[in-house]
Amino acid sequence: MKSSTTLAAPSPAVAAGAQRQAFLLLRTVFTVAPIIFGLDKFTNLLTHWTMYLAPVATSVVPLPAQTLMYIVGVVEIVAGLAVALRPRFGSLLVAVWLLGIIINLLVLGSYFDVALRDFGLLVGAIALNRLSPVRGR
């Protein structure tokens, strides 16, 4: 008795449904997480965010570290809202923002584990962009 090792391709409807589910999961996460993290820059309940800021940042932008974190918080909230309202654009905004965070952590010379995690998130943001419908279609 012969057994087949090939799997049947999913029907177009099943594939479209899976694609839609992936899009909704990524859109939800990349909306909620930046907004929560952005709001936390004002409260520091999750962590003291300034410890993740490379000292070169405060030498380039002559503001106290906490003031820079307030600006970061606003940008993150705006990025989360952009993903909610225009996921194709917002996902790229989040990806670029994550790249900036990764560069900051590498310049800081520590928290390489966080930088690697953020790289995974960056890839997820790009995947969201690829799954996002083109506006107007």
Side-chain angles (χ1 to χ4, degrees):
M1 179 184 211
K2 289 186 174 182
S3 67
S4 175
T5 58
T6 60
L7 298 174
S11 71
V14 170
Q19 182 179 2
R20 180 77 179 147
Q21 290 172 355
F23 167 75
L24 290 174
L25 285 168
L26 289 169
R27 184 181 188 182
T28 301
V29 167
F30 283 109
T31 295
V32 173
I35 292 172
I36 289 172
F37 289 132
L39 290 172
D40 196 59
K41 299 302 187 289
F42 295 91
T43 62
N44 290 307
L45 293 174
L46 296 173
T47 190
H48 190 62
W49 293 101
T50 56
M51 73 180 177
Y52 295 107
L53 188 61
V56 69
T58 54
S59 66
V60 171
V61 180
L63 293 172
Q66 188 57 53
T67 303
L68 282 176
M69 284 297 113
Y70 294 149
I71 295 168
V72 166
V74 170
V75 170
E76 289 175 343
I77 292 166
V78 168
L81 293 173
V83 170
L85 300 172
R86 300 214 29 218
R88 195 166 181 86
F89 166 75
S91 59
L92 289 179
L93 178 61
V94 168
V96 169
W97 188 249
L98 285 164
L99 181 61
I101 292 170
I102 292 165
I103 291 168
N104 171 75
L105 292 171
L106 294 176
V107 168
L108 186 59
S110 57
Y111 303 111
F112 297 117
D113 56 330
V114 178
L116 181 60
R117 181 214 53 206
D118 286 351
F119 178 74
L121 290 171
L122 184 149
V123 172
I126 292 170
L128 173 58
N129 176 265
R130 301 301 301 140
L131 290 168
S132 296
V134 176
R135 193 166 174 90
R137 281 190 9 179

